[in-house]
């Protein structure tokens, strides 16, 4: 199966409205067929060095170790390559959508977590290890949205490991959550463009001038809920200072 065939069939699957078990079962079959061809990464690697437009067209995503291989025009799914470098600690995290994952090269350890708390405490999360697995080329795994898809991945050995991820329609956009299981903490991590706006909103709380109040009041009515919440919080801090 080539990328064009996979994109067509996975796009239909993502838009089918089936429940998660069915989506994952069929999605893993399709991803397994795509990776069996072994030519997907060769094309991407060649594009990195020979096609400047390929690099310029890359999305600014949350993960520095990620390369977008394909994104459907209708937003139903995306296909991404992740490179796990040895010795680099990647945090436990959740997902905004369901997805299927296939190991392509090297070995990856995946640890899946279940959340024990109810999420009512800001910045707090109590996690327990649910399972551990070793992913070698051809092995498949899957993730679910939000608290049902918390996991951590890392390369095993002295060489980088590569995995290919196909993600379906998101149920939450704009950010994911990073977890520190030992400290029982979590933090929201926003997409780069959104993160720049949020950093500025937080900074305006310390400005305290009329123009900053007006701008925060304007953004507090924005259609984006993350921007609204940050602007309102900044206004509260400004009033308290």
């Amino acid at each position: 199966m080539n990328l064009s065939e996979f994109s067509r069939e996975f796009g239909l699957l993502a838009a089918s409205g089936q429940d998660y078990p069915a989506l994952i079962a069929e999605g893993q079959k399709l991803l397994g067929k795509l990776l069996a061809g072994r030519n997907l990464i060769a094309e991407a690697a060649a594009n990195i060095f020979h096609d400047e437009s390929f690099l310029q067209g890359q999305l600014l995503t949350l993960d520095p170790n990620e390369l977008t291989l394909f994104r459907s025009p209708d937003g139903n799914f995306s296909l991404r390559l992740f490179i796990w470098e040895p010795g680099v600690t990647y945090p436990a995290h959740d997902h905004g959508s369901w997805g299927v994952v296939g190991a392509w090269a090297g070995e990856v350890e995946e640890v899946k977590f279940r959340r024990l708390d109810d999420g009512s405490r800001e910045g707090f999360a109590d996690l327990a290890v649910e399972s551990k697995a070793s992913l070698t080329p051809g092995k498949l795994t899957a993730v679910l949205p939000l608290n049902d898809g918390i996991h951590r991945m890392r390369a095993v050995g002295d060489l980088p490991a590569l995995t290919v991820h196909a993600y379906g329609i998101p149920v939450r956009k704009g950010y994911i959550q990073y977890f520190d299981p030992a400290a029982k903490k979590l933090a929201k991590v926003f997409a780069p463009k959104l993160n720049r706006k949020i950093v500025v909103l937080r900074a305006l709380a310390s400005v305290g001038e009329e123009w900053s109040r007006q701008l925060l009041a304007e953004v507090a009515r924005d259609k984006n809920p993350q921007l609204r919440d940050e602007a309102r919080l900044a206004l509260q801090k400004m009033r308290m200072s």
Side-chain angles (χ1 to χ4, degrees):
M1 174 176 279
N2 60 33
L3 180 57
S4 177
E5 293 168 335
F6 173 85
S7 300
R8 181 177 64 254
E9 295 192 30
F10 198 92
L12 292 173
L13 174 67
S16 67
Q18 299 181 69
D19 58 15
Y20 288 134
L23 290 171
I24 287 171
E26 185 60 29
Q28 287 184 327
K29 289 180 184 178
L30 294 173
L31 184 60
K33 291 179 181 178
L34 176 66
L35 298 186
R38 300 299 294 175
N39 62 350
L40 178 68
I41 309 304
E43 294 175 6
N47 286 335
I48 285 289
F49 294 99
H50 300 142
D51 184 357
E52 190 64 28
S53 65
F54 181 76
L55 275 177
Q56 292 174 349
Q58 287 293 303
L59 297 173
L60 284 175
T61 64
L62 294 164
D63 300 293
N65 61 323
E66 173 189 327
L67 188 69
T68 301
L69 300 175
F70 182 82
R71 184 177 180 86
S72 64
D74 55 15
N76 276 350
F77 81 96
S78 61
L79 185 68
R80 311 177 193 184
L81 169 68
F82 282 78
I83 301 170
W84 309 97
E85 298 178 88
V88 177
T89 300
Y90 296 91
H93 57 278
D94 67 3
H95 300 82
S97 65
W98 70 276
V100 294
V101 179
W104 195 84
E107 181 181 357
V108 173
E109 178 193 71
E110 181 191 29
V111 180
K112 292 189 176 184
F113 298 90
R114 66 180 183 276
R115 189 164 181 179
L116 303 178
D117 66 299
D118 62 5
S120 60
R121 289 174 57 185
E122 185 71 23
F124 175 84
D126 189 8
L127 303 183
V129 173
E130 187 172 72
S131 65
K132 292 183 179 181
S134 174
L135 305 178
T136 52
K139 294 286 185 66
L140 299 166
T141 185
V143 296
L144 292 171
L146 311 182
N147 288 335
D148 293 326
I150 302 171
H151 74 164
R152 181 174 62 215
M153 303 182 78
R154 70 174 185 91
V156 176
D158 298 326
L159 293 173
L162 286 73
T163 54
V164 177
H165 303 220
Y167 293 113
I169 300 172
V171 299
R172 185 190 67 201
K173 296 181 179 181
Y175 71 94
I176 64 173
Q177 297 184 125
Y178 280 179
F179 297 85
D180 183 341
K184 297 187 178 182
K185 293 182 179 180
L186 69 81
K188 291 181 180 179
V189 181
F190 298 93
K193 290 182 179 179
L194 180 59
N195 187 65
R196 290 185 177 93
K197 294 181 179 181
I198 287 173
V199 169
V200 171
L201 290 174
R202 291 173 178 172
L204 290 179
S206 64
V207 174
E209 298 183 15
E210 183 58 30
W211 67 266
S212 63
R213 289 191 184 90
Q214 291 178 359
L215 181 55
L216 286 171
E218 175 188 332
V219 180
R221 300 187 297 271
D222 195 273
K223 63 181 180 180
N224 184 302
Q226 283 86 43
L227 292 178
R228 285 201 309 268
D229 291 346
E230 291 290 342
R232 291 168 183 172
L233 181 59
L235 282 169
Q236 291 175 7
K237 291 180 178 179
M238 186 182 291
R239 295 187 191 107
M240 294 170 60
S241 62

